Amino acid sequence: MGAAAGVLGPLKKVGTTFGSFTAAQKLIAVLGIAGLVLGGAVFWRWASEPTMTPLFSNLAMSDASAITEQLDAAGTPYELVDGGATILVPQDQVYGLRLDASAAGLPGDAGTGYALLDEQGVTASQFQQRTTWQRALEGELATTIGSIASVESARVQLAIPEDDVFADTAGTPTASVLVTTRPGQEVSDAQVQSILNLVSSSVEGMSPEDVTVVDGAGTLLSAAGAGAGAAGGIRDQQTADYESRVTGDLQQVLDRVVGPGKAVATVTADLDFDDVTSTAEEFTQPEGGPLALTESGQKEEYTGAGGAAVGGQLGGTGILGPDNIAVPNATTQGTDGTTGGYTSSSTDRTNGVNKTTTTTQGAPGGVARQSVSVVVDTEASRAVDMAQLEQAVATAAGIDPARGDVVSVAQMPFDTSGADAAAEAAAAADAAEAAQARTTLLQTAAVLVVVLLLLLVAAVAAWRRRRRAAALAAEQAEALDLGALEAVPAPAPATDALAAVPAPRQALEPAPKDAAAVARDQVMELAERSPDDVAELLRGWLTADKR
């Protein structure tokens, strides 16, 4: 009984307190309790859920279906994300589930790629070995391409000609790639270029021009023999970036000079993406003056007096040898007794000169030619020197007349109707936004006023209720004989606040007048502090008196 009373006492107190609330306070209390219960339930559910981690990612639909069937059979909870290509399982079970899936041969990609070479037997023919190697290479390339962010799956087919020792020229290998993109995504030009280089670099003798790339919708992304399909896109992007950068720089200069919106600049550029290598040779003169590159000379010298010719010839012509050929450097003796001689010499000389060889390789992407057009509003151009403005534009854009660059600065009246309409629309939008803000502020103020009024009314009602209860308690205290009340055993006080009231005591004689006044004052003070508890106590006393 004591334990039940101990439990029922607080519950009765809570019920009494809740019963003393107004309708608005009861609604707020109920909503607060419901919110706490709902929040606790959500927090408990969140805390009790296991942490999910990816089991496999980038799965094909067939592999994902087989793995989910295995998880359903085992009763393991899982989640599918990323369009079904990724399976999430509880973190504490991921390693065991991966082992189970591997034992079942899942995912299916485990049987492709270089894993096929492990299944070859010693009796495989050369044709089987070659076919298996090509299939393994195709599988590895497909797996690598499938790891690109926007590619869900890929399929690669290689056409590699066989080596023939009797053929004069070897065939060129080609490849075709079919890519399936993820939902809502597409393969960019840079990614297509990456696929071309990846496939061509993996096969000997293949160039990017020999690879064809097609997406799942049948769109040709790169055609074989037509060059890298994405190269044009990359070049266009680089050209657009250059034009945008130069245009932005020019626009900043124009905004500072003629004012914002008073001038417009446009840049058109031709970039040279050819890889050019040039070689220059320069010959310089050595110190001491110019010299001939090669020199040659011949010298003949004859000494001695003339005499009778030998063999019928005039003297001094030399000695004739066999076949009547004169012998050089031979000494002869003339008729006068003197001797003579003949000397012949030749000289060939090659002079060294200074030579400088310069090899220059130009990087692709240089500016081959650009055109700049600037249009200035007529009203703004009156305060600007157009010649100086043109010179400033040419300098800022890096105009080079030697390569054919052109710059044009013209003045024309601008059409401001669109700007005026936009300004009016912006002003109307600002006015509407301000009106909406004022309306929202008024609505919020009205709600606050209503809430304050409700709180004031509730406070006044509670104050009046307490005053009425205090007055009723005072009237009942005056109407009752305090001496008789002291003889009646008092029930247990309803609240702790009543513990301060002295318990009624048995008396053979009426209480003195001073004691009665003191008791009355205590009852009045208690009635003002806790009117509900005093009313409940008086009801208990009246009920006990009637009995």
Side-chain angles (χ1 to χ4, degrees):
M1 293 297 292
V7 174
L8 293 177
L11 293 179
K12 184 178 180 181
K13 182 178 178 180
V14 172
T16 303
T17 306
F18 184 77
S20 64
F21 287 169
T22 62
Q25 292 175 343
K26 290 180 180 179
L27 179 61
I28 294 175
V30 171
L31 292 178
I33 294 174
L36 290 176
V37 173
L38 181 61
V42 172
F43 177 77
W44 177 82
R45 182 176 180 182
W46 172 79
S48 60
E49 287 183 352
T51 302
M52 308 298 285
T53 188
L55 178 64
F56 294 107
S57 301
N58 297 327
L59 291 173
M61 292 294 103
S62 57
D63 296 334
S65 176
I67 294 175
T68 53
E69 289 180 359
Q70 185 180 12
L71 295 176
D72 290 334
T76 303
Y78 64 89
E79 296 179 4
L80 294 177
V81 296
D82 198 10
T86 302
I87 301 177
L88 303 180
V89 296
Q91 187 175 6
D92 55 348
Q93 303 180 22
V94 60
Y95 298 110
L97 294 175
R98 285 178 181 174
L99 292 176
D100 296 340
S102 178
L106 298 174
D109 291 340
T112 62
Y114 289 129
L116 294 174
L117 301 179
D118 299 334
E119 301 176 0
Q120 282 189 347
V122 295
T123 59
S125 63
Q126 185 177 2
F127 174 77
Q128 291 176 339
Q129 293 177 358
R130 179 180 178 84
T131 304
T132 303
W133 173 81
Q134 184 170 334
R135 288 179 55 199
L137 183 58
E138 292 173 350
E140 289 294 330
L141 290 174
T143 302
T144 305
I145 296 173
S147 62
I148 298 177
S150 60
V151 178
E152 182 177 358
S153 62
R155 185 176 182 85
V156 180
Q157 293 181 347
L158 301 177
I160 303 176
E162 296 183 0
D163 296 333
D164 191 356
V165 296
F166 299 102
D168 295 336
T169 59
T172 302
T174 58
S176 61
V177 181
L178 174 64
V179 294
T180 302
T181 58
R182 299 184 184 277
Q185 299 183 8
E186 60 181 9
V187 183
S188 63
D189 293 338
Q191 291 174 339
V192 173
Q193 183 67 28
S194 301
I195 294 174
L196 296 177
N197 293 332
L198 174 66
V199 176
S200 61
S201 300
S202 302
V203 180
E204 183 180 0
M206 183 181 295
S207 62
E209 290 78 8
D210 300 327
V211 182
T212 302
V213 181
V214 182
D215 63 1
T219 304
L220 184 63
L221 303 180
S222 176
I234 295 176
R235 294 174 181 178
D236 294 341
Q237 183 64 35
Q238 292 180 355
T239 303
D241 293 342
Y242 174 79
E243 294 175 350
S244 176
R245 179 173 59 83
V246 177
T247 302
D249 296 341
L250 290 178
Q251 196 64 48
Q252 290 181 0
V253 174
L254 295 174
D255 292 343
R256 288 292 187 90
V257 174
V258 299
K262 301 299 183 180
V264 179
T266 302
V267 178
T268 303
D270 294 333
L271 302 185
D272 186 6
F273 293 96
D274 296 335
D275 191 0
V276 179
T277 302
S278 59
T279 302
E281 294 184 355
E282 181 181 1
F283 297 91
T284 59
Q285 298 178 1
E287 297 180 359
L291 295 177
L293 184 61
T294 59
E295 297 179 353
S296 62
Q298 186 175 5
K299 180 180 180 181
E300 294 182 355
E301 184 178 358
Y302 172 77
T303 59
V310 179
Q313 300 293 329
L314 295 175
T317 58
I319 300 174
L320 296 178
D323 300 328
N324 294 328
I325 297 176
V327 179
N329 300 331
T331 58
T332 59
Q333 184 174 4
T335 56
D336 55 356
T338 60
T339 60
Y342 174 78
T343 303
S344 176
S345 63
S346 61
T347 303
D348 293 328
R349 179 182 299 173
T350 301
N351 298 320
V353 295
N354 298 330
K355 177 182 178 183
T356 302
T357 302
T358 304
T359 302
T360 304
Q361 184 173 2
V367 179
R369 184 178 179 274
Q370 67 176 350
S371 302
V372 178
S373 175
V374 176
V375 179
V376 184
D377 189 9
T378 304
E379 296 181 359
S381 63
R382 297 174 181 174
V384 179
D385 188 351
M386 299 300 293
Q388 293 182 358
L389 181 61
E390 182 175 357
Q391 183 63 30
V393 169
T395 304
I399 297 299
D400 186 4
R403 65 186 180 192
D405 294 351
V406 178
V407 59
S408 172
V409 178
Q411 51 182 350
M412 297 180 182
F414 278 16
D415 183 10
T416 59
S417 59
D420 296 339
E424 293 178 358
D430 294 339
E433 185 178 357
Q436 181 66 26
R438 288 194 299 269
T439 303
T440 303
L441 181 60
L442 292 177
Q443 292 177 353
T444 304
V447 172
L448 291 177
V449 170
V450 171
V451 172
L452 291 176
L453 289 177
L454 291 176
L455 293 177
L456 182 59
V457 170
V460 172
W463 178 76
R464 289 180 177 178
R465 187 171 60 254
R466 287 195 299 269
R467 295 295 296 177
R468 287 195 300 269
L472 178 60
E475 292 176 359
Q476 291 177 355
E478 291 177 358
L480 293 177
D481 187 3
L482 295 178
L485 291 178
E486 290 179 356
V488 178
T495 61
D496 296 338
L498 296 178
V501 181
R505 55 186 176 82
Q506 298 291 339
L508 298 177
E509 297 179 356
K513 184 177 180 179
D514 294 339
V518 172
R520 185 181 296 108
D521 294 338
Q522 292 179 352
V523 171
M524 293 297 294
E525 183 181 358
L526 181 61
E528 290 181 357
R529 287 190 288 107
S530 302
D532 296 335
D533 296 337
V534 172
E536 185 68 23
L537 178 60
L538 292 176
R539 292 192 196 96
W541 287 351
L542 293 175
T543 303
D545 189 23
K546 291 179 180 179
R547 292 179 182 175

